[in-house]
């Protein structure tokens, strides 16, 4: 919802001054390259992307006295990129020197990340808890270590490196850690400031650059069907996330033709081409992370990424390529999709066409696991839907194009391993193996790599400045977060959110700093700008009010997509009707709770009865938001 503010006299005066300053104070006969552009609006700083990194950058730019515009590609309720949908953990430490040794050991012989960059990153981790408490209002008493959250997979991933005991992986949520809580805390700082305007449905499509000095002067933003040239007097911060939802880039940079993404749906690598056009040097383009747990980066084809459970790592099943040969240890405990290869943890290559193959005993086991959906986000019905069935192995191979000779030999070898308890090929644990029933039927499901997020993008330095191909900063251009992240190979849980906070602060602070005047530019015709979009004129962040009648009360709960607002009719102390006034929950996930739960609340007369309603599987956050909204309405009615 757009909100055009009524400008105060002070704001109008500031706007006039900013408009006049577009020419950098030069006379009509001497002007800068910025004067040759027909600008539609002007800010001190433009931040591209409203995820964790963009939110932090906007907050610190505003703290530095800047008037800030945040331009976000996604519609309201779907902003946030990976910051909104990730596990919300962040990396920290109380021992800077020890953690620095850990990151130096993890970097190994990698030369792309300088020691200065590592020191900046680790120094930020040593201050990050204080930063969240002092600058963002986090409750110090409610910052939890990974072991307090009940998520054991978030323990230090590389305990063999010196300094690993200094890693502190933390969360501001003790339960339902993937609830978007850290993102909401960070973005609140950008949503509540008068000097920060936020535009949704407004993707940046280009940077505007001085051709001589290479200084970034502003950006082109698509809004309401128009391309707007927005001046950024002091800097542009690029915080666009990764490219995991761009199949062309995935194929070009990762070499994958089929995959499932598990991150932000709007992370399509838009900024990479913009950065290339501005002369930026790219780094870490081949680095990506998969899920944690067994075999980490495998997912059923055609399903958005999921974290597999142990049920897909044990018993009479194997993973094979089209040649019928096993290509991974089925019970491998990966580290964000990385597996051990010759003592080094790497993201392995996968066959272009790969399959999970299992027998009737394993099929019956999977179909009987009623809790499978909550453990692996895969309903047994989906397994039944995806499975290709052959009454004989030869029939299965004919339907899948798997080599019959290869698969029959592989199952025979695997069965011998299962009987002896020694997997001579891949080293699978004896307790996780069971021989195939050779009488059939047999089942196969196509599997593809699972991508949580990519790390690549334009290279930045310790000041969050984007570098050109010669290693020099591109003037007035900054970045933060996964858009050109610091991870060069082995990723540690919580590192990306920490990077959003650490480099978001650097980018916002440095972008807001006053810059030297642009040099004079000689051109025949000076362009006069008719600016409309100035600080305070338009923002998509606004307070909403709702009308109520007799016996009607407004209840608000926090969903994944922000506020979930209900109008609840309460008569004689009991709920008699509900109307959803606002919701931005994910279709097919949170929407399941919205479809199923409201009718169950009708007739309830206490908060206890509302809280006793079961949440909808896979939509816990939305379910709890609905229950909280109804509970608050009942409490209001009882006053």
């Amino acid at each position: 919802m757009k909100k055009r503010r009524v400008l105060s006299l002070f704001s109008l005066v500031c706007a006039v001054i900013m408009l006049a300053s577009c020419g950098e104070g030069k006379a009509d006969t001497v002007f800068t390259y910025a004067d040759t552009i027909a600008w539609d609006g002007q800010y001190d700083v433009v931040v591209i992307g409203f995820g964790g990194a963009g939110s932090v950058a906007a907050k610190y730019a505003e703290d530095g006295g800047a008037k800030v515009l945040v331009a976000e590609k996604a519609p309201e309720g779907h902003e946030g990129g990976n910051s909104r949908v990730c596990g919300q953990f962040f990396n920290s430490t109380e021992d800077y020197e020890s953690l620095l040794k850990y990151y130096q050991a993890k970097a190994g012989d990698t030369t792309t990340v300088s020691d200065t960059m590592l020191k900046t990153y680790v120094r930020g981790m040593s201050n990050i808890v204080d930063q969240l408490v002092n600058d963002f209002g986090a409750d110090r008493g409610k910052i939890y270590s990974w072991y307090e959250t009940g998520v054991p997979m978030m323990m230090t991933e590389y305990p063999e490196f010196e300094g690993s005991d200094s890693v502190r992986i933390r969360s501001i949520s003790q339960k339902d850690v993937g609830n978007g809580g850290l993102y909401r805390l960070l973005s609140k700082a950008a949503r509540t400031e008068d000097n920060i305007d936020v535009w949704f449905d407004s993707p940046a499509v280009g940077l505007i650059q001085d051709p001589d000095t290479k200084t970034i002067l502003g950006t082109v933003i698509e809004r309401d069907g128009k391309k707007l040239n927005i001046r950024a007097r002091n800097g542009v911060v690029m915080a666009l996330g990764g490219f995991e939802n761009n199949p062309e880039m995935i194929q070009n940079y990762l070499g994958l033709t089929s995959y499932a993404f598990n991150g932000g749906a709007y992370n399509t690598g838009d900024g990479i081409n913009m950065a290339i056009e501005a002369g930026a040097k790219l780094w870490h383009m081949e680095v990506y992370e998969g899920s944690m747990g067994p075999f980490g980066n495998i997912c059923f084809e055609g399903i958005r990424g999921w974290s597999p459970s142990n049920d897909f790592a044990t018993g009479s099943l194997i993973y094979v390529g089209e040649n019928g040969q096993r290509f991974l240890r089925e019970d491998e405990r990966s580290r964000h999709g990385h597996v051990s290869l010759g003592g080094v943890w790497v993201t392995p290559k996968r066959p272009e066409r790969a399959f999970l193959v299992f027998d009737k005993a394993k099929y019956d086991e999977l179909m009987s696991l009623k809790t499978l959906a909550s453990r692996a986000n895969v309903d047994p019905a989906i397994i039944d839907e995806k499975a290709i069935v052959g009454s004989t192995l030869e029939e299965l191979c004919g339907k899948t194009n798997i080599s019959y000779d290869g698969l029959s030999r592989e199952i025979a070898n695997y069965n011998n391993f299962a009987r002896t308890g020694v997997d001579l090929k891949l080293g699978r644990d004896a307790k996780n193996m069971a021989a195939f029933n050779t009488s059939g039927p047999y089942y196969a499901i196509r599997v593809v790599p699972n991508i949580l997020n990519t790390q690549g993008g334009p290279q930045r330095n310790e000041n969050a400045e984007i570098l050109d191909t010669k290693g020099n900063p591109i003037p007035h251009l900054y970045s933060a977060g996964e858009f050109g992240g610091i991870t060069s190979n082995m990723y540690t849980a919580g590192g990306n959110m920490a990077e959003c906070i650490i480099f978001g602060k650097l980018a916002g602070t440095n972008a807001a700093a006053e810059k030297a005047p642009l040099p004079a530019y000689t051109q025949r015709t000076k362009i006069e700008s008719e600016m409309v979009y100035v600080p305070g004129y338009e923002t998509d962040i606004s307070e909403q009010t709702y009308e109520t009648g007799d016996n009607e009360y407004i209840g608000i709960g926090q969903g994944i997509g922000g506020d979930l607002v209900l109008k609840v009719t309460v008569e004689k102390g009991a709920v008699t009707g509900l109307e959803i006034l606002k919701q931005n929950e994910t279709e097919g996930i949170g929407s399941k709770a919205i479809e199923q739960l409201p009718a169950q609340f009708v007739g309830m007369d206490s908060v206890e009865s509302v809280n006793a309603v079961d949440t909808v599987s896979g939509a816990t956050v939305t379910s709890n938001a609905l229950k909280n909204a109804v509970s608050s309405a009942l409490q209001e009615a009882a006053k």
Side-chain angles (χ1 to χ4, degrees):
M1 176 180 178
K2 296 180 179 61
K3 181 179 74 172
R4 290 192 168 93
R5 298 176 180 143
V6 178
L7 299 181
S8 66
L9 178 60
F10 174 77
S11 297
L12 286 170
V13 171
C14 289
V16 170
I17 293 173
M18 291 180 73
L19 288 170
S21 69
C22 182
E24 308 297 332
K26 303 292 183 181
D28 286 346
T29 55
V30 180
F31 51 92
T32 73
Y33 183 77
D35 297 314
T36 71
I37 306 297
W39 300 104
D40 297 292
Q42 179 169 271
Y43 289 79
D44 296 316
V45 174
V46 175
V47 177
I48 307 174
F50 197 22
S55 298
V56 173
K59 180 257 191 301
Y60 284 106
E62 196 273 343
D63 285 353
K67 307 288 187 179
V68 183
L69 171 65
V70 180
E72 166 59 39
K73 176 181 181 178
E76 184 177 7
H78 297 269
E79 72 278 6
N82 282 341
S83 298
R84 183 171 67 93
V85 299
C86 72
Q88 306 299 297
F89 288 94
F90 61 92
N91 212 331
S92 64
T93 190
E94 288 86 34
D95 189 338
Y96 164 76
E97 296 294 341
S98 181
L99 189 65
L100 180 60
K101 291 178 181 178
Y102 172 78
Y103 272 93
Q104 288 170 332
K106 199 156 63 76
D109 296 329
T110 301
T111 59
T112 58
V113 181
S114 69
D115 209 46
T116 302
M117 275 290 283
L118 287 180
K119 289 177 179 177
T120 300
Y121 189 34
V122 176
R123 181 68 70 187
M125 291 181 192
S126 67
N127 298 321
I128 198 168
V129 171
D130 287 340
Q131 184 181 354
L132 289 174
V133 172
N134 297 333
D135 296 351
F136 292 90
D139 185 336
R140 191 180 298 273
K142 295 183 178 180
I143 296 179
Y144 306 96
S145 294
W146 65 265
Y147 55 82
E148 297 177 286
T149 66
V151 186
M153 66 178 62
M154 286 299 171
M155 64 186 295
T156 304
E157 291 184 78
Y158 296 93
E160 66 270 26
F161 290 132
E162 181 182 4
S164 63
D165 57 351
S166 65
V167 177
R168 299 290 183 267
I169 300 170
R170 292 186 163 114
S171 171
I172 65 167
S173 301
Q174 188 172 14
K175 296 181 179 179
D176 297 326
V177 291
N179 62 3
L182 181 57
Y183 169 66
R184 287 198 299 273
L185 178 73
L186 299 177
S187 67
K188 181 180 178 181
R191 295 172 188 269
T192 56
E193 297 292 341
D194 288 339
N195 291 324
I196 300 176
D197 292 345
V198 178
W199 292 357
F200 297 113
D201 277 316
S202 302
V205 295
L207 297 170
I208 300 174
Q209 186 175 34
D210 185 320
D212 295 329
T213 67
K214 305 304 179 183
T215 301
I216 300 300
L217 306 174
T219 184
V220 182
I221 298 173
E222 285 189 352
R223 183 163 171 85
D224 295 332
K226 297 182 292 184
K227 289 186 176 181
L228 306 176
N229 294 331
I230 303 299
R231 178 81 165 93
R233 295 178 66 249
N234 294 334
V236 172
V237 177
M238 304 186 79
L240 296 92
F243 56 90
E244 57 268 18
N245 201 20
N246 184 318
E248 182 179 1
M249 287 186 178
I250 291 294
Q251 184 168 340
N252 285 339
Y253 295 119
L254 306 185
L256 301 175
T257 55
S258 299
Y259 70 100
F261 78 94
N262 197 23
Y266 292 87
N267 283 9
T268 53
D270 299 351
I272 291 176
N273 289 334
M274 285 190 275
I276 290 173
E277 290 173 1
K281 178 183 180 180
L282 302 183
W283 69 347
H284 306 156
M285 295 304 294
E286 78 289 355
V287 183
Y288 72 96
E289 317 307 333
S291 297
M292 299 180 73
F295 53 85
N297 58 353
I298 287 294
C299 179
F300 291 165
E301 182 184 39
I303 296 179
R304 186 166 178 173
W306 52 279
S307 298
S309 71
N310 287 326
D311 304 302
F312 294 89
T314 62
S316 46
L317 56 74
I318 56 177
Y319 289 85
V320 302
E322 203 169 33
N323 64 356
Q325 301 296 299
R326 293 167 68 205
F327 61 87
L328 62 81
R329 176 182 150 186
E330 292 82 2
D331 61 351
E332 179 77 77
R333 175 65 63 172
S334 81
R335 299 174 177 181
H336 272 94
H338 293 59
V339 299
S340 182
L341 180 65
V344 178
W345 290 82
V346 299
T347 302
K349 295 293 185 181
R350 303 300 192 199
E352 186 171 341
R353 283 174 53 80
F355 297 86
L356 164 63
V357 175
F358 50 103
D359 67 3
K360 183 66 163 58
K362 187 63 184 181
Y363 171 82
D364 290 341
E365 175 194 330
L366 292 173
M367 296 303 291
S368 68
L369 293 174
K370 294 182 180 179
T371 60
L372 185 60
S374 62
R375 296 212 306 268
N377 300 320
V378 176
D379 193 285
I382 295 178
I383 297 173
D384 204 33
E385 172 192 331
K386 293 288 183 181
I388 302 168
V389 187
S391 58
T392 65
L393 195 60
E394 188 171 12
E395 181 183 351
L396 181 72
C397 290
K399 290 182 177 181
T400 59
N401 205 35
I402 299 174
S403 166
Y404 172 71
D405 289 341
L407 184 58
S408 59
R409 284 196 305 269
E410 193 73 351
I411 289 178
N413 289 334
Y414 168 80
N415 280 352
N416 286 331
F417 299 156
R419 293 186 186 102
T420 62
V422 180
D423 182 359
L424 296 176
K425 182 169 186 176
L426 296 173
R428 181 166 158 186
D429 197 315
K431 70 177 183 293
N432 293 327
M433 292 192 291
F436 275 67
N437 185 331
T438 56
S439 63
Y442 294 90
Y443 301 80
I445 300 178
R446 175 85 186 275
V447 293
V448 296
N450 176 24
I451 299 178
L452 286 178
N453 63 291
T454 61
Q455 304 285 0
Q459 184 173 354
R460 70 171 75 104
N461 65 12
E462 65 274 11
N463 299 315
E465 297 169 300
I466 291 180
L467 305 180
D468 64 19
T469 55
K470 295 181 179 179
N472 299 314
I474 298 174
H476 299 196
L477 188 60
Y478 306 84
S479 74
E482 290 173 13
F483 183 70
I486 196 172
T487 300
S488 58
N489 182 23
M490 293 176 284
Y491 172 76
T492 294
N496 281 142
M497 287 305 292
E499 189 170 7
C500 288
I501 298 166
I502 294 163
F503 283 92
K505 179 178 181 178
L506 288 167
T509 300
N510 292 330
E514 195 69 27
K515 305 300 192 295
L518 296 173
Y521 181 81
T522 303
Q523 179 142 323
R524 290 188 299 273
T525 304
K526 178 179 177 180
I527 303 297
E528 297 294 337
S529 298
E530 296 181 4
M531 295 195 188
V532 175
Y533 299 93
V534 295
Y537 174 70
E538 181 173 294
T539 181
D540 290 346
I541 299 293
S542 63
E543 294 185 5
Q544 291 182 287
T545 58
Y546 303 94
E547 294 183 1
T548 58
D550 293 339
N551 302 318
E552 292 178 344
Y553 303 88
I554 299 299
I556 301 176
Q558 278 292 315
I560 284 290
D563 285 348
L564 196 156
V565 183
L566 302 181
K567 182 188 288 185
V568 183
T569 303
V570 181
E571 297 176 313
K572 296 181 180 180
V575 176
T576 59
L578 296 94
E579 179 184 355
I580 296 177
L581 301 181
K582 179 182 178 182
Q583 65 90 9
N584 290 300
E585 301 304 280
T586 304
E587 186 66 27
I589 302 176
S591 62
K592 294 190 296 184
I594 292 172
E595 294 166 0
Q596 298 176 29
L597 289 188
Q600 297 184 40
F601 300 128
V602 175
M604 292 185 176
D605 58 3
S606 70
V607 171
E608 290 76 13
S609 58
V610 171
N611 289 337
V613 173
D614 290 336
T615 59
V616 175
S617 177
T620 302
V621 175
T622 305
S623 299
N624 287 333
L626 288 165
K627 292 198 290 185
N628 290 339
V630 175
S631 295
S632 64
L634 279 172
Q635 291 171 335
E636 185 66 25
K639 291 181 180 178

